[in-house]
Amino acid sequence: MNISRRNFVGGVLAAGAMSGLSGCATKAAASLNPTQKVRLACVGIGCQAWNDIVEFMKTGECVIAALCDTDLGGKQTLNALKTYAGVPKFRDFRKMYDEMDGKIDAVLVGTPDFSHFCATMEAIRRGIPVYVEKPLAHTFYECELLMQAEKKYKGICQMGNQGHSGANPYQMGEYVEKGIIDVSKLTRVVAHMNNPRRWHKWNGNVKSFPVGEKIPETLDWDLWLSQALPHAYSKDFVQGEWRCWYDFGMGCLGDWGAHTMDTMHRFFDLGLPSEVKIDNVKGWNPYVYPMQDTLTFTFDAKGKRPKIDLEWYEGISNIPRLPEGYKYLAWGGDIPPATGSTAKAAQKLIPGRFFELSDGSAWEGGSHSATLLKIGVAKEDLPAYTQPKSNHWKNFLMAVKGEETVNSPFSRTAPLSQVFCLGVIAQRLNRNIKFDPSTKRVVGDDIADALLRGPAPRKGWECYYTI
């Protein structure tokens, strides 16, 4: 269980030598009759994946064709198993793809962050449209490969940052295009999430990985680990707890950055940063995410936009300096409210974003699809903008049927997710990093550069790491 830094980095560098596609299928998916409902397979069927299944079914545009989960029979899977008792069920997505060849039209990947990559890559190679929950993948390199695969195989790919099919991207895109928001005047850009997180219960006092426990009878632990470093089973790794650990999850930034940074990243044309700074850190340790920290991503000037810092604040007490006149926004219908005994104090500042301009104006907004408000201007006095015609789930299904294009393709969301990956590296090492966006390499820090790839995959999973 204790892997030295030297061995880890050696394994990371060894990943560069991988080649071949042995064991990875490349069959094409069956063609879809536009008049039919989309036959949707689900890799991951509990927790957020179940929420996605419910939303997909609400559209009336699909049927559930297969269920796959490494913990079939676990309590979090029971809703899906009961609701779709008659559909084929699998533990291993590789077997599902083989046995359901020609019988599925699209796939949902709703597994833990670290295990998005392989199931998604398999779908793309087979020509199967794929909807994968955010963040896109666990490492910078995995995001890069998925973006390349989408392009090579002309895939229909959607990341599950659901608000990107809502009103906010339409509003912000049109406001930037028309100059209502003048990006040449940007002076400050901020995103924040100040609610309690799962790892806060440990108060930063984590000295090791948890002691191994008996594996539940319903769970195939080896399959759950997929390509990841070996770990003994612990209840502190599953049921959403994986998000706490650097080895499995992307923390608060990967979870909420996709809902607060996404439209600023897109419409301010940020791309990849040249530097990531970390400060105001409390509760750092090498195993789980800190209790709080502030990350500052520096993006070089591009087009009309000046060089700009994007500030990220997480932690209950780590509140950003707010623009004068800022309103404490109410929770919107599409923003999940915080839960837990300490949540009420934090809810006065909901997760969201704001930015300031050199003319003295400022804009604020909540998370997901929540629209922007201009501070000092009534909502009804803001210019009108185009309204969305499909939510994120329907948008994907209609793209599968050839009637729309996806709103969050990997060409757009991989660079956004790579920003998260760079922030996580700074958090994990608790130090600033310099990055070259042109070469996509960390400058002057071999350990941080190695973390762009992460550890080499376990035997049997190597084939997914080439295009």
Side-chain angles (χ1 to χ4, degrees), residues 65-372:
L67 300 176
C68 180
D69 200 292
T70 58
D71 191 18
L72 281 180
K75 63 180 181 180
Q76 76 283 358
T77 71
L78 296 181
N79 281 332
L81 295 177
K82 180 179 179 180
T83 304
Y84 305 104
V87 307
K89 298 171 182 64
F90 305 87
R91 293 184 183 275
D92 189 331
F93 70 82
R94 296 168 296 186
K95 292 183 179 180
M96 181 196 76
Y97 285 126
D98 282 342
E99 294 189 22
M100 297 301 293
D101 184 37
K103 301 176 183 177
I104 57 177
D105 305 309
V107 63
L108 158 69
V109 176
T111 60
D113 294 351
F114 78 96
S115 56
H116 288 175
F117 175 75
C118 294
T120 302
M121 183 62 81
E122 180 79 356
I124 296 173
R125 285 178 175 163
R126 289 175 178 259
I128 301 173
V130 58
Y131 178 111
V132 58
E133 264 301 334
K134 53 78 198 163
L136 185 57
H138 194 222
T139 69
F140 186 100
Y141 183 55
E142 289 176 342
C143 293
E144 189 73 17
L145 290 177
L146 290 175
M147 181 167 52
Q148 292 175 13
E150 177 190 56
K151 181 178 181 180
K152 177 177 178 178
Y153 296 101
K154 298 179 174 58
I156 299 172
C157 305
Q158 178 105 302
M159 189 178 83
N161 54 336
Q162 298 91 351
H164 215 83
S165 290
N168 174 244
Y170 287 85
Q171 177 201 31
M172 195 165 178
E174 292 183 18
Y175 282 12
V176 169
E177 182 181 5
K178 294 176 181 178
I180 298 166
I181 296 173
D182 187 347
V183 297
S184 70
K185 297 179 179 180
L186 283 172
T187 58
R188 187 174 180 229
V189 179
V190 178
H192 55 89
M193 203 297 187
N194 303 106
N195 289 320
R197 310 306 294 152
R198 292 174 180 270
W199 53 93
H200 289 179
K201 59 181 174 287
W202 295 317
N203 202 32
N205 297 319
V206 179
K207 309 295 184 184
S208 65
F209 291 115
V211 176
E213 304 172 65
K214 182 180 178 182
I215 301 172
E217 293 181 0
T218 58
L219 175 64
D220 187 323
W221 178 242
D222 187 70
L223 275 178
W224 188 93
L225 285 170
S226 59
Q227 82 279 13
L229 290 171
H231 286 277
Y233 168 81
S234 169
K235 65 181 183 302
D236 289 328
F237 286 151
V238 296
Q239 302 304 316
E241 297 298 314
W242 46 264
R243 180 158 280 139
C244 307
W245 303 86
Y246 288 115
D247 279 10
F248 297 125
M250 294 290 287
C252 185
L253 180 60
D255 188 14
W256 281 86
H259 298 312
T260 57
M261 294 183 185
D262 60 339
T263 50
M264 296 191 300
H265 184 269
R266 176 181 176 183
F267 296 112
F268 296 163
D269 197 11
L270 295 181
L272 297 173
S274 57
E275 188 172 9
V276 184
K277 295 180 180 178
I278 183 168
D279 60 11
N280 202 20
V281 181
K282 292 185 179 179
W284 181 87
N285 68 91
Y287 299 97
V288 303
Y289 287 86
M291 296 289 290
Q292 72 170 47
D293 65 87
T294 302
L295 294 169
T296 303
F297 300 88
T298 299
F299 296 90
D300 294 335
K302 187 175 183 180
K304 296 193 303 179
R305 175 182 56 74
K307 183 177 182 179
I308 194 72
D309 289 339
L310 190 162
E311 305 165 25
W312 165 260
Y313 295 81
E314 64 177 85
I316 295 173
S317 301
N318 190 27
I319 306 296
R321 174 179 58 83
L322 301 173
E324 185 177 351
Y326 186 93
K327 301 179 181 67
Y328 286 157
L329 301 175
W331 286 86
D334 66 339
I335 306 174
T339 57
S341 59
T342 59
K344 290 184 178 180
Q347 285 192 15
K348 64 182 181 181
L349 181 63
I350 67 170
R353 61 206 183 279
F354 61 86
F355 51 91
E356 302 175 68
L357 292 86
S358 59
D359 61 8
S361 64
W363 296 76
E364 61 175 307
S367 183
H368 291 64
S369 63
T371 52
L372 294 171

